[in-house]
């Protein structure tokens, strides 16, 4: 979750000269979001209500983050170009199918962290919800304005591993200022 309609409050507390704890409880209200997975699938989420907590422990070279989200929502799946078997060996394409699943609920837990070893940054995060769990790890190495990195992660469902992703890229910025920036992948 990156944005919501509602309110939050952040409490920052300095534990030591090098450690800070931030707690952010939040509450969200009626909201509508659409996610286009690909050209054939769009999911629409109408949030009825949500609440949760984000806790972050920050040190000089590290950050640990925990989040909890409880949300009640209606989900509409909009699928285009759906193959439909009308008889053995006879398939037709349905141009559009829309189904709504009202009153869905999700409870999501997330724990992650990152650590800087000078130019090397290591990051890991795991998530668990009612239907699936996932994790990823990444390593990035800053070389002046370029940062090559590698990311590996997996998503698990009740039936086992469902998606595995690996992403490798070289990202850097040349001539970056406040008005324009070029990113290279």
């Amino acid at each position: 979750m990156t944005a919501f309609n509602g309110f939050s409050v952040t409490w920052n507390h300095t534990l030591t000269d090098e450690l800070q704890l931030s707690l952010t409880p939040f509450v969200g209200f009626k909201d509508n979001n659409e996610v286009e997975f690909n050209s054939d699938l769009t999911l629409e989420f109408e949030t009825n209500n949500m609440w949760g907590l984000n806790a972050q422990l920050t040190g000089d070279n590290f950050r640990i983050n925990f989040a909890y989200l409880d949300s009640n929502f209606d989900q509409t799946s909009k699928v285009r170009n759906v193959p439909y078997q009308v008889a053995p060996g006879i398939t037709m394409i349905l141009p559009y199918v829309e189904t709504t699943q009202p009153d869905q609920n999700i409870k999501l837990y997330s724990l992650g962290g990152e650590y800087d070893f000078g130019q090397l940054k290591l990051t890991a995060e795991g998530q668990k919800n009612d239907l699936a769990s996932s994790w990823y790890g990444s390593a990035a190495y800053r070389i002046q304005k370029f940062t090559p990195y590698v990311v590996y992660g997996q998503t698990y469902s009740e039936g086992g591993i469902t998606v595995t992703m690996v992403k490798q890229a070289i990202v850097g910025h040349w001539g970056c200022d406040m008005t324009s920036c070029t990113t290279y992948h």
Side-chain angles (χ1 to χ4, degrees):
M1 177 188 65
T2 57
F4 62 93
N5 289 332
F7 66 90
S8 66
V9 139
T10 299
W11 175 72
N12 292 316
H13 180 68
T14 302
L15 300 172
T16 69
D17 288 344
E18 300 168 355
L19 284 177
Q20 178 173 314
L21 175 65
S22 298
L23 297 175
T24 306
F26 56 88
V27 175
F29 308 106
K30 202 72 158 168
D31 195 10
N32 198 328
N33 292 293
E34 209 171 78
V35 178
E36 186 172 321
F37 278 12
N38 57 43
S39 61
D40 291 331
L41 175 61
T42 302
L43 297 177
E44 181 181 355
F45 299 95
E46 184 174 336
T47 302
N48 301 314
N49 58 65
M50 60 176 267
W51 65 275
L53 173 73
N54 189 71
Q56 193 171 92
L57 182 64
T58 306
D60 286 343
N61 297 324
F62 74 92
R63 181 172 56 116
I64 298 171
N65 193 80
F66 170 79
Y68 173 76
L69 166 72
D70 188 331
S71 179
N72 178 273
F73 60 95
D74 300 330
Q75 178 180 319
T76 302
S77 301
K78 302 173 181 180
V79 186
R80 291 166 288 287
N81 304 318
V82 180
Y84 178 73
Q85 186 173 2
V86 292
I90 301 173
T91 302
M92 63 183 284
I93 301 294
L94 300 176
Y96 183 80
V97 175
E98 185 173 301
T99 58
T100 300
Q101 297 170 309
D103 201 29
Q104 301 293 301
N105 188 274
I106 190 166
K107 291 176 177 53
L108 181 121
Y109 302 87
S110 174
L111 179 63
E114 62 184 30
Y115 195 90
D116 275 319
F117 296 95
Q119 293 173 284
L120 176 66
K121 179 184 270 190
L122 300 176
T123 305
E125 180 180 14
Q127 279 189 0
K128 172 107 176 90
N129 64 41
D130 305 339
L131 304 173
S133 59
S134 61
W135 70 273
Y136 76 90
S138 72
Y141 192 80
R142 289 182 292 276
I143 305 168
Q144 295 177 356
K145 294 184 180 185
F146 281 102
T147 305
Y149 65 91
V150 62
V151 178
Y152 179 80
Q154 293 179 325
T155 299
Y156 301 88
S157 67
E158 292 180 20
I161 297 175
T162 56
V163 176
T164 301
M165 58 105 179
V166 177
K167 182 174 183 179
Q168 300 170 354
I170 296 178
V171 177
H173 301 283
W174 286 97
C176 232
D177 61 26
M178 295 303 285
T179 59
S180 69
C181 206
T182 304
T183 302
Y184 302 94
H185 296 276

